[in-house]
Amino acid sequence: MIVVTGAAGFIGSCLIQRLNQDFFNYIIAVDDFSSDVKIKNLQNKKIKLQVHRNDFFDWLDTHHRHVEYIFHIGARTDTTELDTNIFDRLNVAYSQKIWQKCIEYQLPLVYASSAATYGSGSMGYDDAHDKISSLSPLNPYGISKNEFDKWALAQPHKPYSWVGLKFFNVYGPNEYHKGRMASVVYHGYHQIKKMGVIKLFKSHKSEYKDGEQLRDFIYVKDVVEVCMYFLYHRKLNGIYNLGTGTARTFNELATHTFDALGMTPAIQYIDMPPDLLDKYQYFTEAKIQKLTDAGYRKAFYTLQEGVHEYVNQYLNLTHYY
């Protein structure tokens, strides 16, 4: 059995689909199933059991002998949430308990970290372990992810196989439930359908023109391919960036979205919400040498390829991956 936490969420559900493709069908789906908002993400997937996240550790104590691998993807990911207690409980303490159980039961682990740990990028985007303690995230979400990364590296005892993946700007199918936190592709597509324009934030830094802010956008299918790589290569350990290694502008992202719909770009620039002004990342770009040194060689979707597939095979058809 393979455990996937955050199973009904965006990346977790896509990972289950990818696991099913390789005939891993005994999936233990862990999530908060009290709401049916995300349940469509689990339709047509082969899952052995759904376990509420609050019941997971009791379940694991009883069934750990049958578990082969744990993908800990679940987390509170709202970058605008200010209640640190939520992040301490769901992102730090819960992850620490999973880590400890993986040691106790000798289980391999992949867990989700985030590019939000890099903050403004003043320290660069290098995933070397000796740099992680110096990072200064801009919001409580990023702080929580960095706190767990630091804690994991400091532990004298570790799972025999463990990997933390710093997800950069992930977009793709199954993210519809994320609200404000969904990708610009998702929001842009629906803005086009409703108003014929895409709204992008104005730049509030002189060195960036409006829409020329840069992010490392990565298609969710590339994210789950890397997860699968570590499933099959269990001698690898450590924290790795998971981005394409190439930053692209929001203007380019918007243009590709219009192009996927066969439309001429129409972009409107709007003021950034006040709560984001001092917490906004103007540039992210994953340094991925460590990942390639670990043997991962598969080409990533280009931004155009990823956006076109997402729009035409999923958003236009209301399909889920």
Side-chain angles (χ1 to χ4, degrees):
M1 295 186 288
I2 292 182
V3 171
V4 178
T5 73
F10 170 33
I11 297 172
S13 62
C14 291
L15 177 58
I16 291 174
Q17 176 66 24
R18 182 62 185 85
L19 286 162
N20 287 169
Q21 289 175 9
D22 278 16
F23 305 104
F24 292 99
N25 298 330
Y26 286 84
I27 306 296
I28 306 303
V30 179
D31 211 318
D32 177 2
F33 297 103
S34 59
S35 170
D36 61 0
V37 174
K38 302 181 291 185
I39 206 65
K40 289 179 288 189
N41 284 344
L42 297 181
Q43 291 177 355
N44 303 317
K45 293 177 174 61
K46 295 181 175 65
I47 293 170
K48 182 175 178 63
L49 185 68
Q50 293 183 8
V51 178
H52 194 282
R53 69 184 181 206
N54 293 343
D55 302 323
F56 171 60
F57 295 112
D58 288 339
W59 180 92
L60 186 62
D61 288 339
T62 303
H63 298 93
H64 63 88
R65 291 180 182 84
H66 304 291
V67 174
E68 178 182 352
Y69 209 94
I70 294 182
F71 287 101
H72 178 37
I73 310 299
R76 181 63 176 265
T77 59
D78 188 347
T79 59
T80 64
E81 174 62 65
L82 298 179
D83 187 347
T84 58
N85 291 324
I86 292 175
F87 293 113
D88 289 344
R89 177 168 54 89
L90 295 179
N91 292 5
V92 181
Y94 197 91
S95 300
Q96 290 171 342
K97 193 166 184 179
I98 286 181
W99 177 277
Q100 291 161 344
K101 291 294 183 182
C102 286
I103 295 172
E104 181 180 355
Y105 298 133
Q106 286 293 289
L107 298 173
L109 171 69
V110 163
Y111 74 86
S113 184
S114 171
T117 57
Y118 290 113
S120 67
S122 60
M123 297 289 296
Y125 295 91
D126 190 336
D127 52 8
H129 288 177
D130 61 359
K131 297 183 181 296
I132 287 174
S133 63
S134 301
L135 299 177
S136 299
L138 296 174
N139 53 56
Y141 164 69
I143 291 170
S144 71
K145 287 298 187 179
N146 201 50
E147 285 302 306
F148 181 72
D149 286 344
K150 292 190 295 184
W151 179 89
L153 290 173
Q155 295 310 295
H157 301 291
K158 297 176 172 62
Y160 79 89
S161 176
W162 70 276
V163 170
L165 296 174
K166 288 180 180 272
F167 297 155
F168 276 66
N169 279 72
V170 187
Y171 67 96
N174 298 13
E175 63 168 327
Y176 59 89
H177 62 278
K178 291 176 66 66
R180 187 179 179 183
M181 294 298 107
S183 72
V184 173
V185 183
Y186 177 84
H187 286 297
Y189 170 85
H190 289 284
Q191 289 167 1
I192 293 170
K193 288 295 185 178
K194 184 177 180 180
M195 300 174 289
V197 302
I198 283 182
K199 296 182 178 181
L200 298 178
F201 290 145
K202 293 177 182 177
S203 172
H204 295 268
K205 289 188 175 182
S206 59
E207 59 266 42
Y208 294 93
K209 296 180 180 179
D210 291 342
E212 294 298 302
Q213 303 97 316
L214 293 147
R215 295 286 180 88
D216 192 335
F217 301 105
I218 183 166
Y219 194 37
V220 70
K221 290 189 179 182
D222 284 323
V223 169
V224 299
E225 285 299 326
V226 173
C227 289
M228 296 297 292
Y229 182 80
F230 286 107
L231 171 66
Y232 289 126
H233 296 81
R234 301 185 190 183
K235 292 183 179 180
L236 299 169
N237 293 283
I239 296 173
Y240 296 81
N241 282 336
L242 183 41
T244 66
T246 303
R248 304 290 296 273
T249 70
F250 282 97
N251 283 336
E252 290 176 286
L253 188 76
T255 297
H256 287 312
T257 306
F258 278 104
D259 185 59
L261 291 167
M263 297 174 63
T264 301
I267 301 172
Q268 178 183 346
Y269 301 104
I270 61 174
D271 289 330
M272 193 176 295
D275 63 330
L276 291 183
L277 281 174
D278 60 348
K279 297 178 174 62
Y280 185 80
Q281 291 177 303
Y282 276 77
F283 172 82
T284 67
E285 185 174 77
K287 183 177 180 181
I288 59 172
Q289 187 63 46
K290 192 171 168 184
L291 181 63
T292 57
D293 287 347
Y296 191 79
R297 297 287 190 271
K298 188 168 184 177
F300 293 111
Y301 280 76
T302 66
L303 185 62
Q304 182 179 22
E305 290 168 344
V307 170
H308 277 239
E309 180 176 299
Y310 183 24
V311 169
N312 291 310
Q313 295 188 27
Y314 296 98
L315 291 175
N316 265 344
L317 303 176
T318 321
H319 281 181
Y320 308 100
Y321 179 55

